Amino acid sequence: MAKALHQILLFTSLSLIASPLVGQELHKHFELTESKGIDKIELKVSTKAGKSFLNAVDEDEPLLILGASENDVAASTFKIEKTSNTQKVDAELTCKSHMGLNFTESVANNFFSTSDQVHDIWQINLSEHQAFNLNLNYLMGEANVDLSRLAIERLKINSASADVKLTYKEGIMNSVAMDTFFVKVNFGNIEVIDLNYALAKEIIAEVGFGTLSIDCGSDWKMNSRVSASVGAGTLNVVLPPAEIPVLIRINNSPLCNIKMAKDFEKIGHNTFGNQAYINNPDESMEFLLDVGMGSIAFKNR
């Protein structure tokens, strides 16, 4: 096996690209132009503030990252490593004014917001012709992630105090079966719409003090398992249609608040199932929940 290549790349390209998402010109910060011999890209993205957008493009170029200010090109760092047929990219995106921002400051800014937070704007374009593992980390600000037309084998999203929205706006399912969908919320908020389009076998969620809202979508095709732990935050779940068998197991405490959907019956200790599950327990979507001081609410479509 060839020796792994590891280097830090600081790109200074000043190409201008108009962004319809933010209505301004963006500058190229990083690009991968070659995908020959690469079966998968493991992409880790970390942003500290501002607004971030991620979506698919019909391009052979596997990865392009744009930023709002040409003066901030050198503030971000990009590490790449190729092992076998996998290309690893670690992108830490920040502008000069937020280079030293940490988690404690991000939580404070979540309560006492400053006007300069929105000045960081990031646009991440992923080729719909390439397979990805995504690890997305947002310290503060906003993030809009549209996974339509993408091939995501594994997904991890972490919000410190950011507001993150994950969608499939075009209504197109993940082109491969996703191994694991992992989401973690500290003080932020994450909203997942049409989770069914991810085709995820395992969904894992950790909620600290923030809020996680999941809409399972209208057409569930996988026998999936959702494992979630909720500390002092909130988990909201819009369930799949009534004809999808659903089993819910809850390990709770006296300090938590649980709101169960109307058509669920108690079938065991802290165990609930809908009528579809009672009729067909072998083909089901299963929720395994552990909650401390937080709240969990299930809602029918």
PDB file of all heavy atoms in Angstrom, residues 5-23:
ATOM      1  N   LEU A   5      -0.425  10.053   2.067  1.00  0.00           N
ATOM      2  CA  LEU A   5       0.002  11.433   1.859  1.00  0.00           C
ATOM      3  C   LEU A   5      -0.769  12.323   2.801  1.00  0.00           C
ATOM      4  O   LEU A   5      -1.983  12.260   2.882  1.00  0.00           O
ATOM      5  CB  LEU A   5      -0.258  11.847   0.408  1.00  0.00           C
ATOM      6  CG  LEU A   5       0.455  11.027  -0.664  1.00  0.00           C
ATOM      7  CD1 LEU A   5       0.043  11.530  -2.040  1.00  0.00           C
ATOM      8  CD2 LEU A   5       1.957  11.122  -0.503  1.00  0.00           C
ATOM      9  N   HIS A   6      -0.052  13.173   3.507  1.00  0.00           N
ATOM     10  CA  HIS A   6      -0.709  14.059   4.484  1.00  0.00           C
ATOM     11  C   HIS A   6      -0.103  15.446   4.351  1.00  0.00           C
ATOM     12  O   HIS A   6       1.094  15.607   4.497  1.00  0.00           O
ATOM     13  CB  HIS A   6      -0.497  13.523   5.898  1.00  0.00           C
ATOM     14  CG  HIS A   6      -1.245  14.288   6.929  1.00  0.00           C
ATOM     15  ND1 HIS A   6      -0.773  15.445   7.490  1.00  0.00           N
ATOM     16  CD2 HIS A   6      -2.455  14.064   7.498  1.00  0.00           C
ATOM     17  CE1 HIS A   6      -1.621  15.897   8.360  1.00  0.00           C
ATOM     18  NE2 HIS A   6      -2.656  15.091   8.382  1.00  0.00           N
ATOM     19  N   GLN A   7      -0.912  16.420   4.044  1.00  0.00           N
ATOM     20  CA  GLN A   7      -0.406  17.763   3.894  1.00  0.00           C
ATOM     21  C   GLN A   7      -1.489  18.781   4.226  1.00  0.00           C
ATOM     22  O   GLN A   7      -2.672  18.476   4.171  1.00  0.00           O
ATOM     23  CB  GLN A   7       0.123  17.997   2.483  1.00  0.00           C
ATOM     24  CG  GLN A   7      -0.925  17.832   1.401  1.00  0.00           C
ATOM     25  CD  GLN A   7      -0.328  17.869   0.014  1.00  0.00           C
ATOM     26  OE1 GLN A   7      -0.423  16.916  -0.715  1.00  0.00           O
ATOM     27  NE2 GLN A   7       0.276  18.982  -0.329  1.00  0.00           N
ATOM     28  N   ILE A   8      -1.061  19.973   4.595  1.00  0.00           N
ATOM     29  CA  ILE A   8      -1.986  21.076   4.867  1.00  0.00           C
ATOM     30  C   ILE A   8      -1.933  22.029   3.695  1.00  0.00           C
ATOM     31  O   ILE A   8      -0.877  22.480   3.297  1.00  0.00           O
ATOM     32  CB  ILE A   8      -1.596  21.821   6.156  1.00  0.00           C
ATOM     33  CG1 ILE A   8      -1.637  20.849   7.344  1.00  0.00           C
ATOM     34  CG2 ILE A   8      -2.512  22.997   6.404  1.00  0.00           C
ATOM     35  CD1 ILE A   8      -1.222  21.498   8.636  1.00  0.00           C
ATOM     36  N   LEU A   9      -3.102  22.308   3.115  1.00  0.00           N
ATOM     37  CA  LEU A   9      -3.189  23.134   1.925  1.00  0.00           C
ATOM     38  C   LEU A   9      -3.881  24.437   2.267  1.00  0.00           C
ATOM     39  O   LEU A   9      -4.984  24.427   2.814  1.00  0.00           O
ATOM     40  CB  LEU A   9      -3.965  22.396   0.826  1.00  0.00           C
ATOM     41  CG  LEU A   9      -3.426  21.006   0.449  1.00  0.00           C
ATOM     42  CD1 LEU A   9      -4.320  20.394  -0.602  1.00  0.00           C
ATOM     43  CD2 LEU A   9      -2.007  21.103  -0.046  1.00  0.00           C
ATOM     44  N   LEU A  10      -3.268  25.546   1.980  1.00  0.00           N
ATOM     45  CA  LEU A  10      -3.883  26.858   2.146  1.00  0.00           C
ATOM     46  C   LEU A  10      -4.028  27.460   0.761  1.00  0.00           C
ATOM     47  O   LEU A  10      -3.036  27.872   0.148  1.00  0.00           O
ATOM     48  CB  LEU A  10      -3.016  27.756   3.037  1.00  0.00           C
ATOM     49  CG  LEU A  10      -2.811  27.262   4.473  1.00  0.00           C
ATOM     50  CD1 LEU A  10      -1.912  28.228   5.226  1.00  0.00           C
ATOM     51  CD2 LEU A  10      -4.134  27.095   5.177  1.00  0.00           C
ATOM     52  N   PHE A  11      -5.272  27.499   0.250  1.00  0.00           N
ATOM     53  CA  PHE A  11      -5.518  27.933  -1.102  1.00  0.00           C
ATOM     54  C   PHE A  11      -5.759  29.436  -1.133  1.00  0.00           C
ATOM     55  O   PHE A  11      -6.424  29.990  -0.272  1.00  0.00           O
ATOM     56  CB  PHE A  11      -6.734  27.198  -1.690  1.00  0.00           C
ATOM     57  CG  PHE A  11      -6.428  25.784  -2.060  1.00  0.00           C
ATOM     58  CD1 PHE A  11      -6.382  24.823  -1.072  1.00  0.00           C
ATOM     59  CD2 PHE A  11      -6.158  25.435  -3.364  1.00  0.00           C
ATOM     60  CE1 PHE A  11      -6.096  23.515  -1.392  1.00  0.00           C
ATOM     61  CE2 PHE A  11      -5.870  24.135  -3.680  1.00  0.00           C
ATOM     62  CZ  PHE A  11      -5.828  23.160  -2.699  1.00  0.00           C
ATOM     63  N   THR A  12      -5.222  30.087  -2.167  1.00  0.00           N
ATOM     64  CA  THR A  12      -5.364  31.529  -2.304  1.00  0.00           C
ATOM     65  C   THR A  12      -6.047  31.894  -3.598  1.00  0.00           C
ATOM     66  O   THR A  12      -5.875  32.991  -4.111  1.00  0.00           O
ATOM     67  CB  THR A  12      -3.989  32.206  -2.243  1.00  0.00           C
ATOM     68  OG1 THR A  12      -3.158  31.679  -3.288  1.00  0.00           O
ATOM     69  CG2 THR A  12      -3.327  31.973  -0.892  1.00  0.00           C
ATOM     70  N   SER A  13      -6.825  30.989  -4.154  1.00  0.00           N
ATOM     71  CA  SER A  13      -7.529  31.280  -5.398  1.00  0.00           C
ATOM     72  C   SER A  13      -8.598  32.332  -5.144  1.00  0.00           C
ATOM     73  O   SER A  13      -9.312  32.293  -4.154  1.00  0.00           O
ATOM     74  CB  SER A  13      -8.198  30.007  -5.927  1.00  0.00           C
ATOM     75  OG  SER A  13      -9.002  30.318  -7.019  1.00  0.00           O
ATOM     76  N   LEU A  14      -8.704  33.301  -6.060  1.00  0.00           N
ATOM     77  CA  LEU A  14      -9.641  34.403  -5.869  1.00  0.00           C
ATOM     78  C   LEU A  14     -10.735  34.378  -6.920  1.00  0.00           C
ATOM     79  O   LEU A  14     -11.277  35.411  -7.291  1.00  0.00           O
ATOM     80  CB  LEU A  14      -8.876  35.738  -5.927  1.00  0.00           C
ATOM     81  CG  LEU A  14      -7.780  35.893  -4.868  1.00  0.00           C
ATOM     82  CD1 LEU A  14      -7.112  37.251  -5.007  1.00  0.00           C
ATOM     83  CD2 LEU A  14      -8.340  35.708  -3.475  1.00  0.00           C
ATOM     84  N   SER A  15     -11.063  33.187  -7.412  1.00  0.00           N
ATOM     85  CA  SER A  15     -12.131  33.067  -8.394  1.00  0.00           C
ATOM     86  C   SER A  15     -13.434  33.536  -7.795  1.00  0.00           C
ATOM     87  O   SER A  15     -13.732  33.256  -6.632  1.00  0.00           O
ATOM     88  CB  SER A  15     -12.255  31.611  -8.844  1.00  0.00           C
ATOM     89  OG  SER A  15     -11.043  31.153  -9.395  1.00  0.00           O
ATOM     90  N   LEU A  16     -14.249  34.220  -8.575  1.00  0.00           N
ATOM     91  CA  LEU A  16     -15.520  34.740  -8.096  1.00  0.00           C
ATOM     92  C   LEU A  16     -16.654  33.928  -8.662  1.00  0.00           C
ATOM     93  O   LEU A  16     -16.718  33.673  -9.862  1.00  0.00           O
ATOM     94  CB  LEU A  16     -15.673  36.209  -8.521  1.00  0.00           C
ATOM     95  CG  LEU A  16     -14.587  37.170  -8.007  1.00  0.00           C
ATOM     96  CD1 LEU A  16     -14.901  38.574  -8.489  1.00  0.00           C
ATOM     97  CD2 LEU A  16     -14.485  37.132  -6.506  1.00  0.00           C
ATOM     98  N   ILE A  17     -17.579  33.515  -7.814  1.00  0.00           N
ATOM     99  CA  ILE A  17     -18.744  32.753  -8.232  1.00  0.00           C
ATOM    100  C   ILE A  17     -19.966  33.347  -7.570  1.00  0.00           C
ATOM    101  O   ILE A  17     -19.985  33.548  -6.352  1.00  0.00           O
ATOM    102  CB  ILE A  17     -18.610  31.255  -7.857  1.00  0.00           C
ATOM    103  CG1 ILE A  17     -17.382  30.662  -8.574  1.00  0.00           C
ATOM    104  CG2 ILE A  17     -19.868  30.495  -8.198  1.00  0.00           C
ATOM    105  CD1 ILE A  17     -17.147  29.210  -8.241  1.00  0.00           C
ATOM    106  N   ALA A  18     -20.981  33.647  -8.345  1.00  0.00           N
ATOM    107  CA  ALA A  18     -22.208  34.207  -7.777  1.00  0.00           C
ATOM    108  C   ALA A  18     -23.021  33.111  -7.115  1.00  0.00           C
ATOM    109  O   ALA A  18     -23.211  32.039  -7.668  1.00  0.00           O
ATOM    110  CB  ALA A  18     -23.033  34.866  -8.882  1.00  0.00           C
ATOM    111  N   SER A  19     -23.489  33.356  -5.938  1.00  0.00           N
ATOM    112  CA  SER A  19     -24.278  32.382  -5.192  1.00  0.00           C
ATOM    113  C   SER A  19     -25.730  32.811  -5.136  1.00  0.00           C
ATOM    114  O   SER A  19     -26.046  33.834  -4.532  1.00  0.00           O
ATOM    115  CB  SER A  19     -23.740  32.224  -3.768  1.00  0.00           C
ATOM    116  OG  SER A  19     -24.626  31.455  -2.990  1.00  0.00           O
ATOM    117  N   PRO A  20     -26.650  32.026  -5.739  1.00  0.00           N
ATOM    118  CA  PRO A  20     -28.065  32.370  -5.646  1.00  0.00           C
ATOM    119  C   PRO A  20     -28.621  32.203  -4.250  1.00  0.00           C
ATOM    120  O   PRO A  20     -29.641  32.770  -3.905  1.00  0.00           O
ATOM    121  CB  PRO A  20     -28.716  31.379  -6.623  1.00  0.00           C
ATOM    122  CG  PRO A  20     -27.782  30.209  -6.652  1.00  0.00           C
ATOM    123  CD  PRO A  20     -26.399  30.809  -6.515  1.00  0.00           C
ATOM    124  N   LEU A  21     -27.919  31.406  -3.392  1.00  0.00           N
ATOM    125  CA  LEU A  21     -28.405  31.174  -2.044  1.00  0.00           C
ATOM    126  C   LEU A  21     -28.247  32.408  -1.168  1.00  0.00           C
ATOM    127  O   LEU A  21     -29.088  32.720  -0.346  1.00  0.00           O
ATOM    128  CB  LEU A  21     -27.654  29.993  -1.404  1.00  0.00           C
ATOM    129  CG  LEU A  21     -27.949  28.614  -1.996  1.00  0.00           C
ATOM    130  CD1 LEU A  21     -27.017  27.586  -1.385  1.00  0.00           C
ATOM    131  CD2 LEU A  21     -29.390  28.216  -1.766  1.00  0.00           C
ATOM    132  N   VAL A  22     -27.159  33.121  -1.338  1.00  0.00           N
ATOM    133  CA  VAL A  22     -26.895  34.239  -0.449  1.00  0.00           C
ATOM    134  C   VAL A  22     -26.886  35.565  -1.189  1.00  0.00           C
ATOM    135  O   VAL A  22     -26.752  36.615  -0.585  1.00  0.00           O
ATOM    136  CB  VAL A  22     -25.537  34.043   0.277  1.00  0.00           C
ATOM    137  CG1 VAL A  22     -25.599  32.837   1.175  1.00  0.00           C
ATOM    138  CG2 VAL A  22     -24.401  33.891  -0.737  1.00  0.00           C
ATOM    139  N   GLY A  23     -27.018  35.549  -2.520  1.00  0.00           N
ATOM    140  CA  GLY A  23     -27.135  36.763  -3.302  1.00  0.00           C
ATOM    141  C   GLY A  23     -25.882  37.604  -3.347  1.00  0.00           C
ATOM    142  O   GLY A  23     -25.960  38.824  -3.414  1.00  0.00           O
TER     143      GLY A  23
END
